[in-house]
């Protein structure tokens, strides 16, 4: 007899497929529909990165949408030796695959944490396949830089990274103590409104939703969260704002609220943005 477990069993049935030639370039799809929500996780994330993904998959199926969870070269511990540019290239490969092999009629990008940066970077690329993006959802778009700045070891690691860059070792791995989770190579509240617009203004071309956790443990305590999320939405040309009270970074304590916000947005806004990239 197995001992009882306090953790819920997270399991999904679907299709695992390769969208590129690299070993890491695989994706898991639930639902068999021609519209897909693509989830892009944050640092160290992989499949089933957040607790809301399992119920989201079922809710999307009821609306005739598939959920696609890709693995990128930066997934799990790979983020330390990858880049936003590489993530964007692989995201473009995935969308191209969905269009050419799955007859996709458009996708919605759902980013969690650093995955939000991937979306912003990808949409700036303006590739042909990016025209198939109907809408974007940024869940927990926090600043890795500001969070790391609150850690006591960060200053020494910045000095080390700077010296490595000067020695033409920018792509060498830093010592493990630089980040215990993975090797690393050498949306911030302190940016002005103009700087935010320069970085996010292009997102106004598609419907966008910002889901911000008001209890996010990765946002420094000195940051005014309500002001920050409003400034982010303004910089994106008036993105929809969702503030989830007491929600943590991954919304594991507010799964139902996350689910309702995401599905409602997909139902309302996604059909407005379809632009067939091949016509």
């Amino acid at each position: 007899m197995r001992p009882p477990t306090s953790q819920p069993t997270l399991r999904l049935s679907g299709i695992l497929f390769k969208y590129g030639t690299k070993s890491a370039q695989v994706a898991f799809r639930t639902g068999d529909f021609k519209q897909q929500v693509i989830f892009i996780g944050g640092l160290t994330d992989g499949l089933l990165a957040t607790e809301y993904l399992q119920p989201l998959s079922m809710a999307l199926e009821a609306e005739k949408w598939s959920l696609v969870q890709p693995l990128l070269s930066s997934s799990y511990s790979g983020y330390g030796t990858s880049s936003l540019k590489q993530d964007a290239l692989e995201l473009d490969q995935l969308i191209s695959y969905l269009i050419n092999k799955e007859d996709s009629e458009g996708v919605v990008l759902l980013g969690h944490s650093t995955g939000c940066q991937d979306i912003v970077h990808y949409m700036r690329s303006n590739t042909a396949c990016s025209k198939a993006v109907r809408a974007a959802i940024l869940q927990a778009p926090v600043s890795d830089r500001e969070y790391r700045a609150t850690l006591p070891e960060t200053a020494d690691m910045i000095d080390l990274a700077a010296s490595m860059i000067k020695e033409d070792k920018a792509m060498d791995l830093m010592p493990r103590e630089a980040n215990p989770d993975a090797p690393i190579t050498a949306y911030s509240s302190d940016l002005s409104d103009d700087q935010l617009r320069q970085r996010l203004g292009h997102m106004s071309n598609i419907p966008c939703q910002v889901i911000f956790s008001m209890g996010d443990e990765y946002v420094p305590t000195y940051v005014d969260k309500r002001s920050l999320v409003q400034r982010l939405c303004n910089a994106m040309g008036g993105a929809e704002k969702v503030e989830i009270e007491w929600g943590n970074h991954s919304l594991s304590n507010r799964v139902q609220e996350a689910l309702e916000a995401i599905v409602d947005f997909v139902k309302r806004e996604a059909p407005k943005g379809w632009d067939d990239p091949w016509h």
Side-chain angles (χ1 to χ4, degrees), residues 52-74:
Y52 61 72
L53 285 176
Q54 183 187 37
L56 177 62
S57 171
M58 294 184 288
L60 288 174
E61 285 199 52
E63 301 297 332
K64 300 191 184 307
W65 282 76
S66 293
L67 175 65
V68 177
Q69 301 177 61
L71 293 183
L72 307 174
S73 296
S74 61

Side-chain angles (χ1 to χ4, degrees), residues 5 8 190 208 212 257:
T5 176
D190 57 358
C208 291
F212 209 91
E257 291 177 55

Side-chain angles (χ1 to χ4, degrees), residues 204-217:
S204 63
N205 295 323
I206 57 172
C208 291
Q209 179 188 64
V210 177
I211 303 177
F212 209 91
S213 302
M214 304 313 288
D216 196 317
E217 63 272 26

Side-chain angles (χ1 to χ4, degrees), residues 182-250:
I184 60 175
T185 57
Y187 301 99
S188 303
S189 65
D190 57 358
L191 296 176
S192 69
D193 289 344
D194 284 342
Q195 288 173 318
L196 286 175
R197 278 192 293 271
Q198 289 171 10
R199 289 163 170 78
L200 301 173
H202 62 285
M203 297 299 292
S204 63
N205 295 323
I206 57 172
C208 291
Q209 179 188 64
V210 177
I211 303 177
F212 209 91
S213 302
M214 304 313 288
D216 196 317
E217 63 272 26
Y218 290 103
V219 178
T221 55
Y222 63 80
V223 173
D224 183 336
K225 297 183 180 70
R226 295 190 193 282
S227 174
L228 175 58
V229 68
Q230 186 61 59
R231 293 178 64 222
L232 292 175
C233 290
N234 290 345
M236 296 167 70
E240 178 178 305
K241 175 180 65 176
V242 178
E243 297 175 349
I244 298 188
E245 297 297 332
W246 310 111
N248 59 22
H249 186 61
S250 67

